[in-house]
Amino acid sequence: MNVLGIETSCDETSVAILSDNKLLAHVIASQDFHTNFGGVVPELSSRAHLQIIKPLLNQALEKSGLQLSDIDLIAATAGPGLIGALLVGLTFAKGLAFSLNKPFISVNHIEGHIFSGFLMKDKPEFPFLALVVSGGHTLLLHVKSFSQIMQLGTTVDDAAGEAFDKVSKMLGFGYPGGALIEQSASKGDEDKINFPVAELKNKYNFSFSGLKTSVLRYIQKNYANNKIIPESDKNDIAASFQKAVISALLKNTEEAIKNFDVKNISLVGGVAANTKLRREMKKLSVKYKKSVVIPDSEYCGDNAAMIAFRGKTLYESGRRDDLKATAYPSLDENYFEPS
Ligand code: KG4
Ligand code: ZN
C-alpha cells in the first residue's frame, strides 16, 4: 500500500510517500524566515505552506518514482497546530483524495510523534513509555497498543521546547532556540548555576515556567541596565538551563519506568533531537535494562513520514474519514485517556 502523508501544522511543510514500511520519499521545507520575527507568524506560515505544497508533492512523487494514481491512501495532519497552517495541508489532502477517489485519514499530530519510532529500523515494542517533547507539548504516555494511549503526565504550563525557545530569546540567540541553546551549552559549564527543577503533586507532570523565570531573574540580577552578557556566561547559562530541563524530563520518566510495565522507552518530538537528552535517556534505559527508541533527528521535528505511518495504522484498524473532517484548533485538553 502506498500512503501519501502531508504535514503543515506549524512551520514545516512536509510530504512523504510510505510504501508498506519503506519510505520512498520524504521532503521537508522549513520556513526559516520566522527567525526574523522571533517566533512563528501564523498568517505568513499559512501563505508559505500554500505556496510550496504543490511543488513539494511533485518533488516527493518524482523521488518515489510513483504517479499520483499509484497512491492508495492520503493522510494529513488535522491538529493540534496553527489553524490556518493546518487547513492548507488538510484541504489540499482532501482535494486530492476526492479527485483521485482514494481513502482519506486525518491524523492527530501528537499521535504522529508518538509512533515516529516505528520509522526506525529497531522499532518500539508494546507496551512502551513515550516521552513527547516538542515546541507545543510535553507528554509522558503509557502506550499499550496503536489504539491505547494512556496519559501519565503533561506540562502544567510551558512545553519543554517552548522553554528552550524563550531562554534562547533571553540570551539573544533567536528562534527556533533548541539547537542554538544546545550549541551554546556544549561550550558551557552546566554546574555553574543551579536552576530549579519543579516538584509537582502529580509526579508525572512537568512545569518549565518557574525555570524560565529563574533564568530571567538571573540575567536581570547579574546583567542589570542592559549590561552585555559575555559569550562564556551565555554558554554557562545555556548549559545550566539545559541540564535542569533534561533532569526534569528524566526524573519523571524514571518514576514511570519504576511504576509501569514497559518493554522500552521512546523519546520523540523536536526536543528529542537534543544530543545530551538522547545520551541521558540511553543511560537511563540501560540502568533499567530497557531498550530505547529515538528517531533520527529528521523524524524528531515535524515531518510527514510520521503522519503517513500513523495514517496507515489507523486505516489498517478500520478507520475511514469522510471529507467533512476538519482542523480543530486544539484538542490537547484530556485528549489521551488518563492512566
Ligand atoms: O516537534 P517540533 O518540530 O514542533 C512541534 O510540534 O512543536 O518541535 C519543535 C521544538 C522547538 O521548540 C525547538 O526549539 C525544539 O523542538 N528543538 C530542540 C532542539 N531542536 C529542536 N530543543 C532542544 N534541543 C535541540 N537540539
Ligand atoms: Zn510536532
Side-chain angles (χ1 to χ4, degrees):
M1 184 166 71
N2 297 321
V3 186
L4 174 71
I6 293 178
E7 155 66 36
T8 62
S9 67
C10 190
D11 54 350
E12 258 93 30
T13 320
S14 180
V15 177
I17 298 172
L18 186 70
S19 177
D20 298 319
N21 273 332
K22 193 166 182 292
L23 201 53
L24 299 183
H26 189 216
V27 283
I28 303 176
S30 290
Q31 302 173 359
D32 299 330
F33 60 83
H34 293 295
T35 313
N36 304 327
F37 304 96
V40 178
V41 184
E43 177 65 13
L44 297 183
S45 161
S46 312
R47 287 171 186 236
H49 285 306
L50 202 52
Q51 267 180 349
I52 204 158
I53 194 154
K54 178 110 190 298
L56 220 53
L57 169 67
N58 291 339
Q59 209 178 314
L61 283 169
E62 200 174 308
K63 275 194 182 179
S64 70
L66 299 183
Q67 309 281 321
L68 257 186
S69 54
D70 298 321
I71 299 295
D72 303 303
L73 171 69
I74 297 167
T77 305
L82 302 172
I83 190 75
L86 288 165
L87 283 172
V88 173
L90 189 65
T91 313
F92 185 77
K94 289 198 291 184
L96 272 178
F98 180 69
S99 64
L100 298 167
N101 197 22
K102 298 288 160 137
F104 166 75
I105 302 274
S106 65
V107 174
N108 174 281
H109 180 81
I110 310 296
E111 291 185 5
H113 278 301
I114 292 170
F115 298 110
S116 57
F118 286 87
L119 296 166
M120 299 295 99
K121 196 163 124 293
D122 295 319
K123 303 178 191 321
E125 270 183 80
F126 296 113
F128 65 88
L129 265 187
L131 178 63
V132 184
V133 273
S134 72
H137 298 86
T138 308
L139 288 160
L140 190 56
L141 305 150
H142 188 204
V143 188
K144 298 180 179 173
S145 69
F146 281 125
S147 58
Q148 281 179 295
I149 307 169
M150 324 301 284
Q151 180 172 314
L152 306 179
T154 183
T155 179
V156 297
D157 40 57
D158 293 352
E162 192 179 350
F164 269 94
D165 294 334
K166 286 179 177 167
V167 169
S168 172
K169 222 176 194 175
M170 290 177 206
L171 294 175
F173 293 153
Y175 177 88
L180 301 167
I181 290 273
E182 175 173 5
Q183 216 178 355
S184 164
S186 68
K187 294 173 264 174
D189 174 3
E190 63 174 21
D191 298 318
K192 189 73 179 276
I193 313 148
N194 198 9
F195 289 128
V197 172
E199 294 281 344
L200 298 164
K201 218 155 77 190
N202 174 345
K203 58 190 177 183
Y204 303 120
N205 274 349
F206 304 90
S207 166
F208 295 107
S209 148
L211 169 60
K212 176 194 69 189
T213 309
S214 307
V215 176
L216 183 65
R217 296 268 176 278
Y218 181 88
I219 294 172
Q220 285 170 337
K221 188 167 152 239
N222 293 283
Y223 309 96
N225 305 320
N226 289 331
K227 202 169 125 192
I228 303 269
I229 313 175
E231 212 54 35
S232 65
D233 289 13
K234 283 189 182 181
N235 296 341
D236 293 341
I237 295 170
S240 304
F241 160 77
Q242 179 178 267
K243 181 187 174 190
V245 174
I246 293 176
S247 100
L249 295 174
L250 292 184
K251 185 163 79 90
N252 296 14
T253 308
E254 179 161 13
E255 201 59 42
I257 297 174
K258 285 189 206 158
N259 290 301
F260 291 88
D261 173 33
V262 288
K263 288 219 166 71
N264 36 190
I265 306 154
S266 193
L267 171 66
V268 296
V271 183
N274 186 282
T275 315
K276 185 173 158 68
L277 174 59
R278 296 169 83 94
R279 200 169 53 229
E280 296 295 325
M281 190 58 86
K282 281 178 192 157
K283 272 198 225 158
L284 184 68
S285 63
V286 169
K287 179 174 167 192
Y288 288 93
K289 299 189 172 62
K290 308 280 179 198
S291 55
V292 66
V293 180
I294 311 174
D296 296 344
S297 58
E298 180 181 349
Y299 307 104
C300 287
D302 292 345
N303 69 86
M306 67 183 192
I307 301 304
F309 179 80
R310 181 55 178 153
K312 182 169 107 80
T313 62
L314 290 169
Y315 181 81
E316 285 167 351
S317 71
R319 173 116 152 240
R320 303 289 182 270
D321 287 339
D322 66 23
L323 298 179
K324 285 191 201 128
T326 187
Y328 24 85
S330 167
L331 40 67
D332 314 14
E333 290 270 319
N334 306 320
Y335 177 69
F336 299 109
E337 283 179 63
S339 188

